[in-house]
Amino acid sequence: MTALAPRDLLILAVLADGPSHGYGIIKAVEDRSEHDVLLDPANLYRCLRRMNADGWIDEVDARSDDDRRRTYRITAEGRAILRNEVQRLEILLRGLRPSLAGHKR
Amino acid sequence: MTLRLYRALIRLLPRRVRERDGEEMARALADQIAGARAPAAVRWRALTRFPLVLALEWRDVLFAPRVSSPTVFSQGSRMESIARMIRQGARGLARTPVFSLSVILLLGVGVGSVSAIFAVVDHVLLRPLPYPNVDRLVVIDGSHSMPAVRDMQAMRSIDAWAAAATENARLTRDGEPLRVRQALITGGFFPMFRARAAVGRLLQPADSQFANVAVLSYSMWVRVFGGDTSAIGSTIRIDDAPTTVVGVLDPTFALPETIVGASVDLWRPVDPAAEYMTKRDYWMFGAIGRLGADRTIAQAQQEATRVANERAKVFPGRYTEDGKVLELPVRSLRDATTGRVQRPLRLLLGAVGLLLLVACTNVTHLFLARGVGRLREMAVRRALGARTRLLVAQLLIESGMLGLAGAVLGAAIAYAGVRAFLALAPAGLPRATTIGVDARVLLFAGSVGMLTAIVFGLIPALRLARLGPGDPLRGAGRTLTGTRGAHRFRSMLVIGEVALSLVLVAQAGWLLRSFIRMSHADLGFRTSGIVEIPMSIPAPTHATRDSGQAGAPTAEWYRRVEAIRESLARTPGVQGVTFGLTMPLEWVGGGKCCWFARPNFTGKTPPARPSVTHPIGDDYFDLFAIRFVAGGAWTGGTATRAPYPAVINEELANRVFGAANAALGATFVLDETDFRVTGVARNTRHYGADQSYETAVYIPANAMPFPPGNVTMALRTERTDNALGADLRAAVWRVEPNLPVPAINTIAQLARRDSAHRRFDAMLFGIFSVVALVLVAGGLAGTLLYMVSLERRSLGIRLALGATPRGLERGVLTKGVGLAAIGAVIGAMGAWWAGRLIESRLYGVEARDARTLGLAVSVLLLIALLSSWIPARRAAATNPIESLRTE
């Protein structure tokens, strides 16, 4: 498994907490990344289409009652990919920390 | 505002994306802006990120790899399938490099030659002349005297007039004298063509009061003054008369060549005091007029005819020739400029068109042969569900790609071709200076290349498309390409090719014969070992002449010319020197200079047409070996006073006296001077081999009633070494240190110039014919080889049944020559018809000369026989067992 782009990782992480619609995802991603990753609708929906086609996420069948926004949720496959990526990053960080500590002043 | 823009951008997305997410994207952005702490940053980001996504989405749609497509052509968008067809086509063409390169080469040769000639035709004939109101400019054909030009101004339909005359002059500043071409123009000339000055000014109405001002051509300004602006206002001497330079003409000014020729060094106003302004004898001006708005040439012609009739009445005998009124033909400037070359150029275009057709026939052969291989591929694809329309489109795209490559090669060939054309073309092609390959020509080459490739590629494509669904698979290609229909089509192509080539070859043959005839024509004078030197002997310009007898100006002029003659005669290797106003072959191609007059014979009615009058030095007839029919020339020193001795030619003697002998001793008055005929000389082709005989009078140069500005020396010598020119110039300068000696021409050079355009015609048609013959040989051999390879099975069976290899060989030869014979018959008819078109270009050869046509047919049949040989050998070498096994 290759590395995920930060944007993809964050979107999967947001959806892992519960289904959301487009604007909800934009907001949550901004919050979680402490305004480091900023999304615009065009890029967001392009990502969503790709993840949907790859089977990482799917649409919630019934659209929420008040408006007709499409809501996305994470699939089992998406969850596995998220888990793998987080594990990979943890291992990576574990390997990096000592070297960082060693050069501490 | 941002939202509206964003929605507009969303509309640009591919349909599937737009329908799915477009609405949501807009809403998300609206929410995002509403909830943002810095809405401006959100807006900025949304708008600036959009284009990349847009591009990516379209890329996905157009170039997505579709591994899962069930058919060869999926239902994707049109763009997508075209892109794929191009890729596929390129791969296919690269797999058959011999085919592709052959097609490109053939198209390149065809398109290149057509485009090169088109470039010439376009620049010379098609583009408008760069003058204001050019459609309304008309020329009154011929040369006119200034009073005659004034007569014409009675024409109501013409609202502006200009006239110009050109002559040689001698320009001196500090250094050596230059022989220059000067134009004498009326005040209306520059405004009519909207000429501009590069430096200083052009001529003004006030200038016509004093003739002593001049406008220089740009190149003369650079040559004499080194492009120094201080030239303006300075004084030069023109024929020894001090003249003030007032300006320099814009170098981009396009000369009205029909009026002033292809080059003018110096422009001066007409001199109001000169004799030529009032005398009707100086036929030296070209006249040009501008039609009034909504007037037509026909109206102008009516009025011109009225003017012509009227003046013939007022001046009896002066404006008639052979009893008919001299007309004043009105032609459009465009016609007058290019009319002379229109026919030859169209003819050339037609010839290269034939060449292109022959090349295209070969291209069709190649496409057909390749079609066999493609047939099975196409059948398989169709069986898998590809639609016929798309298969044909695929073939067309491949043709188009070949066409484009052919056009690129053709453009390169055209570029080289135009340069070669201009280098080889005889002088006198109007507007030649601007000819080149430009955007228009490239566009033409591109269109011709694409069009021919697509049309001739389409023929096999349509044949493929007509096939039933299972045909090619069943027959494994053989049954289809071996059908009678395909055979017949291929045979027709060969026949057509042979016919087209024969037309070209026959024309080339006629033109070549005519050139050879002209080179060996008997001109009536010696055409080797003679050198001619034209010069401007300074004479008091526009001097009033003494009436009745040769005056002091002529005596002075004659003394100086004699001094030059004697100096030249002392040059080592020179056997004799004479001189005259014009010398044989000095003027060729239809131009006739310089003095036409009517000798008035005692007791005879004046001749109906003017005669060329040759003032000549003593040894003229000896030097040129012109023979006498009766009497002889005067001897040196006898021509001292009237009546002066004179020689007339056979043509004039026959017209006036009916016989040469009857003319001896007759007296006549010419330009108020008395002469007595001492001899009748044979006719000569003084103005070139293809010009008709003129009536001519030869008089001693010292008997001229006025001194001419020009004289040409002719000397006899066997020398051909490089030092000859320097020796001759030195000889002239020994006695006339300030005299320009611009040219020293051998008479052989002049004769070559005389036949230059015939040589050019013959050469171009010859080149086209050779190329066409090579193409025919290739096409015929290729087709027969191909047929033999298709018929191997039947040849094998025939061998097995007892046919001899010799028999098979003969069969193929018969087929090849038979096809060529049919083509030759059709081509001979075509050539017969086309012979009419080149009739006027021929000299000494009957148009449609049958011997030449027969020779052309034999050449083609011989080539057909030769190119059938290899296929015939191949057929004879068929191994019956092997050829049966391969199926």
Side-chain angles (χ1 to χ4, degrees):
Chain A
M1 169 91 354
T2 53
L4 279 184
R7 185 169 54 202
D8 294 8
L9 181 62
L10 282 164
I11 292 172
L12 282 180
V14 166
L15 291 179
D17 286 352
S20 176
H21 51 64
Y23 173 57
I25 297 172
I26 291 177
K27 241 180 130 43
V29 165
E30 283 182 14
D31 289 345
R32 285 192 177 223
S33 68
E34 293 168 342
H35 293 275
D36 191 29
V37 174
L38 302 174
L39 281 173
D40 64 281
N43 270 307
L44 172 72
Y45 280 94
R46 186 173 157 77
C47 281
L48 291 177
R49 277 194 299 277
R50 175 165 45 78
M51 290 183 181
N52 196 11
D54 291 349
W56 298 2
I57 61 174
D58 62 6
E59 290 171 33
V60 177
D61 249 0
R63 292 184 172 184
S64 40
D65 32 311
D66 57 333
D67 55 9
R68 291 180 306 280
R69 292 187 198 206
R70 205 177 283 144
T71 307
Y72 294 91
R73 71 172 178 211
I74 195 165
T75 61
E77 194 187 341
R79 230 175 257 284
I81 282 168
L82 178 64
R83 198 176 315 120
N84 280 341
E85 179 66 4
V86 171
Q87 267 174 13
R88 189 184 69 85
L89 288 174
E90 273 172 352
I91 292 166
L92 193 67
L93 284 176
R94 223 179 292 145
L96 287 175
R97 283 219 178 87
S99 55
L100 208 57
H103 286 89
K104 214 152 103 184
R105 288 249 168 119
Chain B
M1 184 60 208
T2 311
L3 272 175
R4 201 170 322 145
L5 184 59
Y6 203 67
R7 281 181 194 280
L9 288 173
I10 286 170
R11 237 170 274 146
L12 298 177
L13 286 167
R15 185 159 51 97
R16 264 192 309 208
V17 175
R18 188 177 67 227
E19 281 175 359
R20 185 188 147 95
D21 286 334
E23 186 54 28
E24 293 238 349
M25 285 164 69
R27 294 180 63 136
L29 182 65
D31 290 345
Q32 205 182 355
I33 291 170
R37 269 173 295 173
V42 171
R43 285 195 187 105
W44 175 248
R45 201 167 56 235
L47 291 177
T48 51
R49 299 284 161 85
F50 196 90
L52 179 62
V53 174
L54 183 65
L56 290 173
E57 293 295 352
W58 274 113
R59 187 205 60 185
D60 290 353
V61 168
L62 294 178
F63 301 106
R66 281 166 196 269
V67 280
S68 57
S69 301
T71 55
V72 179
F73 289 102
S74 71
Q75 302 288 332
S77 79
R78 186 161 295 170
M79 289 284 285
E80 186 184 356
S81 46
I82 288 177
R84 188 175 32 222
M85 280 194 257
I86 290 176
R87 277 199 305 272
Q88 226 162 30
R91 272 201 303 272
L93 294 176
R95 263 202 307 272
T96 51
V98 175
F99 163 79
S100 308
L101 289 180
S102 309
V103 170
I104 291 171
L105 201 67
L106 284 168
L107 283 176
V109 168
V111 170
S113 31
V114 168
S115 303
I117 301 298
F118 171 79
V120 176
V121 171
D122 182 43
H123 279 88
V124 176
L125 298 184
L126 302 183
R127 290 186 198 207
L129 295 159
Y131 308 126
N133 299 314
V134 68
D135 297 336
R136 285 160 52 197
L137 297 185
V138 294
V139 172
I140 315 298
D141 256 4
S143 304
H144 314 281
S145 65
M146 193 49 92
V149 172
R150 274 195 287 272
D151 294 343
M152 295 172 201
Q153 289 172 6
M155 293 165 63
R156 287 287 185 73
S157 55
I158 288 182
D159 67 8
W161 284 94
T166 51
E167 57 183 30
N168 291 328
R170 198 168 52 107
L171 185 153
T172 3
R173 191 174 161 236
D174 315 316
E176 65 181 80
L178 291 171
R179 183 167 145 128
V180 297
R181 195 89 192 135
Q182 74 168 343
L184 305 172
I185 56 176
T186 60
F189 187 87
F190 281 141
M192 181 167 285
F193 299 110
R194 201 184 282 156
R196 283 177 223 289
V199 188
R201 62 173 177 84
L202 297 183
L203 302 176
Q204 290 170 348
D207 291 333
S208 57
Q209 299 301 309
F210 323 94
N212 59 351
V213 295
V215 169
L216 295 181
S217 78
Y218 198 88
S219 60
M220 193 42 62
W221 176 51
V222 171
R223 195 160 147 206
V224 176
F225 290 97
D228 187 351
T229 48
S230 71
I232 309 305
S234 68
T235 301
I236 53 176
R237 299 178 83 81
I238 296 170
D239 290 340
D240 296 331
T243 306
T244 309
V245 175
V246 295
V248 175
L249 187 64
D250 183 0
T252 62
F253 178 65
L255 292 180
E257 290 176 24
T258 166
I259 304 290
V260 296
S263 94
V264 173
D265 303 312
L266 193 66
W267 304 82
R268 293 173 66 195
V270 290
D271 180 357
E275 213 175 20
Y276 62 67
M277 293 301 278
T278 50
K279 284 260 185 177
R280 286 189 175 265
D281 301 314
Y282 293 84
W283 297 45
M284 54 192 273
F285 288 94
I288 184 158
R290 191 178 60 215
L291 289 174
D294 63 70
R295 296 306 176 96
T296 63
I297 290 185
Q299 287 171 333
Q301 181 63 68
Q302 262 179 4
E303 292 179 335
T305 306
R306 207 174 309 140
V307 170
N309 290 337
E310 210 137 293
R311 68 178 191 178
K313 247 178 271 164
V314 177
F315 304 95
R318 188 184 284 277
Y319 294 111
T320 51
E321 192 174 292
D322 291 340
K324 286 194 292 255
V325 173
L326 267 186
E327 302 206 20
L328 291 172
V330 182
R331 296 167 75 191
S332 70
L333 177 64
R334 179 196 191 80
D335 225 32
T337 308
T338 59
R340 190 167 49 82
V341 294
Q342 230 167 43
R343 240 185 124 90
L345 283 182
R346 295 236 170 97
L347 215 63
L348 272 185
L349 201 57
V352 282
L354 288 181
L355 188 64
L356 178 66
L357 275 181
V358 174
C360 287
T361 325
N362 274 12
V363 169
T364 312
H365 277 313
L366 286 172
F367 270 113
L368 271 178
R370 183 172 187 258
V372 185
R374 302 300 307 279
L375 213 55
R376 290 169 82 175
E377 174 200 341
M378 292 286 163
V380 169
R381 282 161 72 168
R382 194 152 56 177
L384 290 173
R387 276 173 295 169
T388 306
R389 189 165 57 80
L390 289 176
L391 292 179
V392 171
Q394 170 81 49
L395 288 173
L396 281 185
I397 281 176
E398 284 173 20
S399 309
M401 289 165 72
L402 288 174
L404 198 65
V408 170
L409 178 64
I413 291 178
Y415 183 77
V418 166
R419 301 199 127 197
F421 183 95
L422 291 179
L424 298 172
L429 182 68
R431 310 179 74 188
T433 44
T434 62
I435 297 173
V437 174
D438 54 18
R440 265 165 75 118
V441 176
L442 290 181
L443 193 69
F444 176 83
S447 331
V448 171
M450 294 291 279
L451 205 70
T452 49
I454 287 176
V455 167
F456 290 90
L458 193 63
I459 295 171
L462 288 180
R463 296 183 66 81
L464 287 184
R466 264 213 316 272
L467 299 175
D471 292 350
L473 285 177
R474 269 203 305 275
R478 187 183 58 80
T479 46
L480 272 148
T481 50
T483 55
R484 254 167 210 296
H487 262 309
R488 204 180 307 134
F489 186 65
R490 239 177 237 115
S491 305
M492 267 159 51
L493 285 180
V494 170
I495 291 171
E497 213 171 355
V498 171
L500 290 171
S501 315
L502 183 62
V503 175
L504 267 180
V505 173
Q507 309 242 11
W510 284 328
L511 290 169
L512 188 66
R513 266 183 87 97
S514 125
F515 167 63
I516 292 170
R517 279 283 170 81
M518 182 147 176
S519 312
H520 293 104
D522 176 19
L523 301 179
F525 49 81
R526 199 196 298 272
T527 51
S528 63
I530 289 179
V531 172
E532 295 184 5
I533 311 172
M535 44 183 86
S536 307
I537 299 286
T541 39
H542 315 311
T544 50
R545 53 187 161 146
D546 308 15
S547 55
Q549 65 186 67
T554 302
E556 158 73 4
W557 174 87
Y558 186 72
R559 224 178 3 259
R560 296 177 71 172
V561 174
E562 268 297 322
I564 296 172
R565 193 188 70 77
E566 275 164 27
S567 180
L568 282 171
R570 283 198 301 273
T571 308
V574 172
Q575 294 157 14
V577 186
T578 188
F579 58 89
L581 188 54
T582 70
M583 283 289 147
L585 300 185
E586 191 182 352
W587 296 82
V588 293
K592 292 181 180 177
C593 189
C594 288
W595 185 19
F596 282 79
R598 289 175 204 244
N600 207 341
F601 288 93
T602 317
K604 297 278 177 185
T605 48
R609 51 191 304 152
S611 300
V612 194
T613 308
H614 298 292
I616 52 174
D618 284 344
D619 299 328
Y620 181 89
F621 297 100
D622 273 354
L623 195 115
F624 281 100
I626 298 172
R627 292 205 301 277
F628 279 83
V629 187
W634 60 86
T635 47
T638 57
T640 48
R641 62 175 195 283
Y644 293 97
V647 170
I648 64 176
N649 73 350
E650 227 180 324
E651 183 83 9
L652 182 59
N654 286 337
R655 273 171 182 262
V656 177
F657 299 96
N661 282 322
L664 288 180
T667 55
F668 64 90
V669 179
L670 185 125
D671 217 344
E672 300 164 20
T673 310
D674 294 323
F675 294 92
R676 181 194 301 280
V677 177
T678 65
V680 177
R682 277 190 58 202
N683 294 330
T684 62
R685 305 274 185 196
H686 188 85
Y687 294 108
D690 53 355
Q691 300 297 317
S692 56
Y693 291 130
E694 298 283 342
T695 55
V697 178
Y698 300 87
I699 61 170
N702 60 326
M704 281 197 83
F706 57 91
N710 297 327
V711 69
T712 298
M713 294 283 165
L715 47 96
R716 175 134 170 72
T717 178
E718 301 301 333
R719 276 181 67 181
T720 50
D721 54 287
N722 293 332
L724 180 64
D727 285 358
L728 296 178
R729 283 195 166 89
V732 174
W733 288 335
R734 236 186 340 262
V735 287
E736 290 279 349
N738 287 330
L739 200 69
V741 183
I744 294 177
N745 303 314
T746 65
I747 199 160
Q749 281 169 343
L750 296 172
R752 257 204 304 285
R753 204 175 65 190
D754 185 30
S755 57
H757 72 268
R758 283 176 212 284
R759 181 178 32 234
F760 184 62
D761 278 358
M763 191 176 59
L764 272 190
F765 273 76
I767 291 172
F768 294 159
S769 306
V770 169
V771 175
L773 285 177
V774 170
L775 293 181
V776 164
L780 187 61
T783 304
L784 288 177
L785 269 179
Y786 184 67
M787 287 177 174
V788 168
S789 77
L790 287 178
E791 285 175 356
R792 281 178 75 179
R793 191 185 160 98
S794 79
L795 290 174
I797 292 172
R798 278 157 65 188
L799 273 179
L801 291 177
T804 62
R806 285 294 298 273
L808 296 186
E809 190 178 320
R810 207 175 306 127
V812 174
L813 281 181
T814 313
K815 181 162 185 76
V817 176
L819 288 179
I822 299 172
V825 169
I826 297 172
M829 292 193 286
W832 189 262
W833 176 81
R836 208 166 36 93
L837 300 176
I838 58 163
E839 215 168 338
S840 60
R841 312 282 290 166
L842 298 181
Y843 169 85
V845 179
E846 216 174 303
R848 303 165 168 179
D849 169 56
R851 265 197 305 170
T852 313
L853 187 57
L855 197 67
V857 170
S858 326
V859 167
L860 260 168
L861 290 181
L862 188 68
I863 281 177
L865 188 68
L866 289 179
S867 51
S868 307
W869 206 268
I870 295 169
R873 299 292 306 174
R874 180 75 60 86
T878 306
N879 180 340
I881 308 299
E882 194 188 314
S883 63
L884 289 177
R885 207 184 281 144
T886 47
E887 281 293 324

